[in-house]
């Protein structure tokens, strides 16, 4: 009789073990749960209920469940060391268990986060993302005894990883359980980036105040600054895109200031494996631009080369002003037309002004819409004699634009021009 009883216990344990591993692999509960568990943290309940339910179902098939509570206690102690039954009751065939842990380790548990290798500014953002996760995870694991680590550790890691995934998208946590000399236990949490990871940045420089020769130098500085952000997971970069853009812009501005220049840098990052970076650099003091233009559909209009040199000032707060000179040379006769004027920024990228053109000493009134739509601009000028000229342009690439160009002095024809920035 005793031999049959031991055989039955062994058989129940084997069935329970099978149920346990099935739950561990699938992380789902049985379709018809018969067991209700109380007294333990929620994150560990799914790990416990599956195997116990399998055991309880087997016990119910072999006799009166009320006479097998002792057998259930033995099974729980074998499957879940560190767990004990405080109270068990049966209601309409379902089992209700009040469980508890035997007690935490003497020195308790401690959670320690190890940040990945990041620049100081990003470390601060990473720490803000973690927030109170240390307290949350420590409260979760506080009651777990050492004896329960073998079966409860995996459940804790799974639940902790779900919590951290919401706070740190793109980072995969790994957990190391260690014992300190004072007897306390420590959970060290380390982070690794999940693909897709940013492996390189591709800066594209644009400016309406600086020539290409200076923009090329800024491009080299941009690659140096952006190298600090290589290796970051794309999902995390997307979440903190604005902050990272401001960091990169501030670093470039400081490099620019070291060359005794003042300017504004705005950065736009598109997270990807090779992330495009749009960098706009504008001087706060000077405008120095050069261009070459050629008409595509007309032989009458000769190619021209122009230079714009301006000095910015702000006579009143929020009232930007620029004194400028322009020199235009046409290739057919190499005659120089010079323009001397002043313009004011009325709103955003809209400028209005007046200038005197030589030869002739004619007064012209002028306006600029630097960007009426993305990459689209418009400018025009007219005088009191009824002459007018202007262009509607579309920028493509980093150095070129197409223009619909109009000049009333050339027979009111609209021409297509290709303009290249120098």
């Amino acid at each position: 009789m005793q031999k049959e009883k031991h055989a039955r216990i062994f058989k129940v344990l084997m069935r329970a073990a099978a149920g346990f591993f099935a739950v561990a692999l699938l992380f789902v509960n049985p379709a018809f749960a018969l067991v209700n568990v109380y007294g333990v943290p929620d994150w560990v309940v799914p790990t416990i209920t599956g195997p116990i339910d399998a055991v309880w179902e087997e016990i119910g098939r072999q006799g009166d469940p009320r006479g097998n509570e002792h057998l259930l206690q033995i099974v729980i102690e074998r499957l879940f060391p560190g767990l004990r039954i405080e109270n068990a009751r049966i209601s309409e065939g379902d089992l209700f268990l009040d469980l508890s842990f035997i007690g935490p380790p003497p020195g308790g548990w401690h959670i320690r986060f190890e940040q990945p290798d990041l620049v100081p500014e990003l470390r601060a953002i990473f720490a803000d993302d973690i927030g109170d996760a240390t307290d949350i995870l420590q409260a979760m694991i506080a009651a777990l005894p050492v004896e329960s680590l073998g079966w409860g550790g995996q459940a804790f890691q799974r639940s902790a990883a779900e919590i951290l995934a919401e706070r740190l998208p793109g980072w995969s946590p790994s957990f190391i359980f260690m014992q300190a000399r004072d007897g306390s236990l420590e959970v060290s949490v380390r982070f690794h980036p999940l693909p897709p990871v940013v492996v390189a940045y591709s800066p594209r420089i644009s400016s309406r105040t600086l020539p290409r020769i200076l923009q090329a130098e800024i491009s080299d500085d941009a690659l140096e600054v952006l190298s600090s952000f290589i290796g970051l997971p794309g999902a995390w970069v997307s979440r903190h895109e604005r902050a990272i853009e401001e960091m990169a812009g501030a670093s470039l501005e400081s490099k620019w200031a070291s060359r005794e220049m003042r300017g504004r840098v705005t950065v736009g990052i598109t997270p990807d494996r090779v992330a495009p970076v749009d960098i706009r650099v504008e001087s706060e003091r000077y405008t120095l631009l050069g261009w070459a233009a050629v008409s595509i559909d007309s032989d009458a209009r000769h190619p021209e080369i122009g230079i714009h040199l301006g000095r910015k000032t702000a006579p009143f707060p929020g009232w930007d002003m620029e004194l400028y000179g322009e020199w235009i040379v046409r290739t057919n006769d190499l005659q120089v037309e010079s323009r001397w004027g002043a313009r004011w920024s009325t709103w955003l990228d809209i400028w209005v002004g007046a200038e005197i053109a030589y030869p002739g000493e004619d007064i012209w009134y002028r306006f600029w819409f630097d960007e009426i739509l993305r990459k689209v601009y418009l400018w025009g000028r007219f005088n009191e004699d009824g002459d007018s000229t202007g262009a509607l342009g579309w920028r493509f690439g980093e150095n070129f634009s197409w223009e619909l160009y109009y000049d009333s002095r050339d027979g009111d024809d609209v021409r297509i021009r290709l303009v290249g920035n120098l």
Side-chain angles (χ1 to χ4, degrees), residues 103-111 138 141-146 178-180 182-187:
W109 287 95
H110 301 282
I111 305 294
Q138 194 153 318
I141 201 174
L144 189 71
V146 177
M178 301 179 292
Q179 186 170 15
D182 60 359
S184 65
L185 292 178
E186 180 180 271
V187 182

Side-chain angles (χ1 to χ4, degrees), residues 363-381:
I363 297 178
W364 291 75
Y365 304 98
R366 194 167 176 178
F367 64 88
W368 295 259
F369 291 82
D370 284 345
E371 193 166 57
I372 55 177
L373 296 172
R374 178 172 171 77
K375 298 185 178 181
V376 177
Y377 62 90
L378 174 70
W379 64 266
R381 55 196 293 265

Side-chain angles (χ1 to χ4, degrees), residues 210-231:
L210 296 176
R212 288 300 306 167
I213 188 172
L214 290 181
Q215 293 180 38
E217 183 179 352
I218 294 170
S219 181
D220 294 337
D221 291 338
L223 288 173
E224 179 183 347
V225 168
L226 293 169
S227 64
S228 300
F229 307 112
I230 290 176

Side-chain angles (χ1 to χ4, degrees), residues 8 56-68 90:
R8 188 176 64 173
W56 185 245
E57 185 177 357
E58 183 64 25
I59 290 176
R61 293 173 181 169
Q62 299 187 20
D64 182 6
R66 297 179 184 274
N68 292 281
I90 301 170

Side-chain angles (χ1 to χ4, degrees), residues 111-116 126 137 153 156-158 160-162 164-165 168 171-178 186-194:
I111 305 294
R112 179 168 60 90
F113 288 103
E114 297 185 22
Q115 288 199 15
F126 197 94
L137 267 58
F156 170 77
Q157 292 181 59
R158 187 166 64 253
E162 291 175 357
L164 295 175
L168 296 157
W171 294 100
S172 174
S174 61
F175 303 85
I176 301 176
F177 297 84
M178 301 179 292
E186 180 180 271
V187 182
S188 176
V189 187
R190 301 175 182 177
F191 296 89
H192 309 280
L194 290 171

Side-chain angles (χ1 to χ4, degrees), residues 132-371:
D132 61 350
T134 302
D135 297 333
I136 293 175
L137 267 58
Q138 194 153 318
M140 285 173 56
I141 201 174
L144 189 71
V146 177
E147 293 82 356
S148 301
L149 193 58
W151 59 269
Q154 184 180 9
F156 170 77
Q157 292 181 59
R158 187 166 64 253
S159 298
E162 291 175 357
I163 293 173
L164 295 175
E166 297 177 359
R167 297 167 177 257
L168 296 157
W171 294 100
S172 174
S174 61
F175 303 85
I176 301 176
F177 297 84
M178 301 179 292
Q179 186 170 15
R181 294 181 178 179
D182 60 359
S184 65
L185 292 178
E186 180 180 271
V187 182
S188 176
V189 187
R190 301 175 182 177
F191 296 89
H192 309 280
L194 290 171
V197 174
V198 178
V199 298
Y201 291 91
S202 176
R204 299 177 297 201
I205 313 298
S206 64
S207 178
R208 296 170 194 161
T209 55
L210 296 176
R212 288 300 306 167
I213 188 172
L214 290 181
Q215 293 180 38
E217 183 179 352
I218 294 170
S219 181
D220 294 337
D221 291 338
L223 288 173
E224 179 183 347
V225 168
L226 293 169
S227 64
S228 300
F229 307 112
I230 290 176
L232 300 178
W236 195 66
V237 172
S238 295
R239 168 171 287 189
H240 299 291
E241 184 176 322
R242 184 58 184 162
I244 293 175
E245 290 171 350
E246 291 177 353
M247 289 180 199
S251 296
L252 286 172
E253 285 183 3
S254 65
K255 284 182 174 293
W256 201 8
S258 67
R259 296 180 175 85
E260 298 183 357
M261 299 179 68
R262 292 177 57 191
R264 300 185 306 274
V265 180
T266 56
V267 178
I269 298 176
T270 303
D272 205 342
R273 280 181 55 81
V274 179
V277 183
D278 293 309
I279 301 175
R280 181 173 172 181
V281 186
E282 303 296 349
S283 172
E284 294 181 348
R285 291 181 176 178
Y286 303 101
T287 301
L288 177 57
L289 298 174
W291 72 90
V294 57
S295 297
I296 301 301
D297 58 348
S298 175
D299 296 331
R301 189 72 180 179
H302 297 281
E304 69 177 34
I305 299 175
I307 296 176
H308 176 108
L309 177 61
R311 177 64 168 92
K312 294 181 178 181
T313 184
F316 306 102
W319 185 271
D320 294 330
M321 177 180 177
E322 180 186 328
L323 303 176
Y324 67 87
E326 284 187 354
W327 297 265
I328 296 93
V329 179
R330 291 181 176 85
T331 59
N332 62 321
D333 56 11
L334 299 182
Q335 183 178 357
V336 178
E337 177 187 355
S338 62
R339 303 166 183 172
W340 303 87
R343 63 176 184 169
W344 295 264
S345 176
T346 56
W347 183 64
L348 297 178
D349 291 329
I350 301 174
W351 294 78
V352 296
E355 61 190 24
I356 300 177
Y358 295 92
E361 298 185 7
D362 296 329
I363 297 178
W364 291 75
Y365 304 98
R366 194 167 176 178
F367 64 88
W368 295 259
F369 291 82
D370 284 345
E371 193 166 57

